[in-house]
Amino acid sequence: MFERILNRGRARTLARKLASEPTAENYLAMAQSYASGGQLTQVAKVCEEGLGLHPGNAELERMLGRSQALAREDLVRDLQRQLKSSPRPAVYRELCETQIKAGRLDRAEKVAEEWFVKTQDGEALFQRAQVRAARYFADRRRDDARVALELLDRFLAENSNELRAIRLSLDIYTRCGAWHEARTCLARMLEIRPGDPVLEARFRTVASISENAPSLDQALREVERTGNFVDDETDTTSSESALALRPMLQSLASKPGVNGAFYIQGGTALVQGPRGATAERYARGVRELLTIGRSSARRLGLGAPVDIQVEGEFGSISIRSGSIGAAALWTEDRPNEKTSAALDYLSGREAQGGTHA
């Protein structure tokens, strides 16, 4: 009780200070005070308010993310307790959706499978479809898309007017470029909501491009091969911006033991070291290695590769793939720490995440 009284006193003092000086540091202190008392909802509110005034503050973003993660863990434990004492569809659904939001797709699918086995509830099929669709959108594996679409068909067989299920099917079809199937989905949605101007305009657009569209299987295979959906922007910066990277490539290529430096972004390929037809051949080879690495990683369910290493009698080829493009070095030995950092910079690779191949 004495500790609670002290905490209330500190909270009042911090609140007065925050009112007079709404700095990021004071917001952080207030959030930490609530965190010490286990008031996760208040922590999130203070952090969100602070980020409204100080967008991008790393400490407030970190604390907000942590408080939200802890709140989800508390919710998951509570829902699991409820399922043991009184398993109900609403509890299963909330648990599935919470796990999906947290990115715990394996756990979400297990809950949905258990739910369906015990109750044969069609909603469990839809939750599983959401999990598989989320995996497909993240990893581009065609098997995940096929499973999601099969589950949605089973769900819609019993719930033919469920727009959320038709929309999810439509998302998969439009993102992979299966325009025939997308047109069918839109026609079905218009039967449910006739006269909707947005749906009608979208239907006309899709119908106009569906004539020579690939089959669903072809579209899924192409996305898995390239790692790109039809609505992805393959060139994240202009060719002029890519050319601005040439001095760094020249510097890398001039270092002892480096045979060539490469930068790949969409249709742009910059090469330093090899010249003429040899340069074109090597740039094409690096692009093919990157494509094969991405395709193989997705087929194995490993996600998107960020670091590909190829070694042999020719030496070593190191490829880094990131948010900007892909950078590669052909060296006699593996690149050292400095050249690795340069590859990270060129590719725009994030500090964490991805698959090593």
Side-chain angles (χ1 to χ4, degrees), residues 187-209:
R188 191 170 182 177
M189 293 173 76
L190 280 168
E191 289 177 2
I192 300 169
R193 296 174 59 179
D196 186 305
V198 175
L199 286 177
E200 287 181 344
R202 195 173 181 188
F203 177 82
R204 287 193 297 270
T205 301
V206 169
S208 68
I209 60 176

Side-chain angles (χ1 to χ4, degrees), residues 21-74:
E21 299 178 51
T23 64
E25 291 74 17
N26 286 340
Y27 272 107
L28 188 62
M30 190 73 192
Q32 288 170 338
S33 173
Y34 281 126
S36 66
Q39 297 173 271
L40 298 177
T41 301
Q42 290 300 112
V43 173
K45 286 182 179 179
V46 169
C47 288
E48 287 169 353
E49 182 182 323
L51 286 168
L53 292 176
H54 308 282
N57 183 275
E59 286 299 311
L60 285 173
E61 287 180 344
R62 183 193 61 78
M63 180 159 279
L64 175 61
R66 182 61 178 156
S67 67
Q68 290 173 335
L70 289 171
R72 279 195 299 267
E73 289 175 9
D74 287 345

Side-chain angles (χ1 to χ4, degrees), residues 13 51 55 85 90 99 132 164-165 205 216 219 234 239 253 257 273 289 292 301-302 304 335 349 353:
T13 301
L51 286 168
S85 60
Q99 298 285 32
R132 288 295 183 139
R164 59 195 174 125
T205 301
L216 174 61
T234 55
S239 296
L289 283 172
I292 292 168
L302 301 177
R349 195 183 82 168

Side-chain angles (χ1 to χ4, degrees), residues 249-325:
L249 288 175
Q250 291 173 335
S251 174
L252 286 171
S254 67
K255 294 185 181 299
V258 177
N259 298 320
F262 309 83
Y263 177 78
I264 307 292
Q265 182 198 72
T268 301
L270 303 180
V271 181
Q272 291 296 315
R275 297 180 181 278
T278 303
E280 291 180 12
R281 186 170 67 253
Y282 276 98
R284 189 164 54 249
V286 169
R287 183 182 276 114
E288 288 176 359
L289 283 172
L290 182 62
T291 300
I292 292 168
R294 286 171 171 168
S295 178
S296 299
R298 288 187 182 90
R299 281 199 299 271
L300 293 170
L302 301 177
V306 295
D307 188 345
I308 299 172
Q309 192 77 30
V310 183
E311 296 180 357
E313 294 181 358
F314 57 87
S316 174
I317 295 178
S318 303
I319 305 175
R320 302 292 169 82
S321 177
S323 59
I324 297 176

Side-chain angles (χ1 to χ4, degrees), residues 15-150:
R16 286 194 294 269
K17 188 174 181 181
L18 182 60
S20 60
E21 299 178 51
T23 64
E25 291 74 17
N26 286 340
Y27 272 107
L28 188 62
M30 190 73 192
Q32 288 170 338
S33 173
Y34 281 126
S36 66
Q39 297 173 271
L40 298 177
T41 301
Q42 290 300 112
V43 173
K45 286 182 179 179
V46 169
C47 288
E48 287 169 353
E49 182 182 323
L51 286 168
L53 292 176
H54 308 282
N57 183 275
E59 286 299 311
L60 285 173
E61 287 180 344
R62 183 193 61 78
M63 180 159 279
L64 175 61
R66 182 61 178 156
S67 67
Q68 290 173 335
L70 289 171
R72 279 195 299 267
E73 289 175 9
D74 287 345
L75 177 60
V76 165
R77 282 193 290 269
D78 180 58
L79 292 170
Q80 289 171 335
R81 283 194 293 267
Q82 290 186 53
L83 283 178
K84 287 182 180 179
S85 60
S86 178
R88 306 184 305 279
V91 180
Y92 272 118
R93 177 175 177 172
E94 188 175 2
L95 182 55
C96 283
E97 291 177 344
T98 301
Q99 298 285 32
I100 291 171
K101 287 178 183 176
R104 298 170 179 170
L105 300 181
D106 288 340
R107 297 184 188 180
E109 188 162 23
K110 285 180 181 177
V111 172
E113 288 173 345
E114 176 190 321
W115 178 8
F116 186 74
V117 168
K118 288 186 176 180
T119 66
Q120 299 296 299
D121 190 334
E123 181 65 27
L125 295 175
F126 178 72
Q127 294 298 329
R128 277 194 65 199
Q130 286 201 114
V131 171
R132 288 295 183 139
R135 282 181 175 162
Y136 176 60
F137 296 146
D139 297 334
R140 276 72 163 172
R141 291 182 67 237
R142 64 180 184 271
D143 288 345
D144 287 326
R146 288 191 181 115
V147 172
L149 291 169
E150 178 189 343

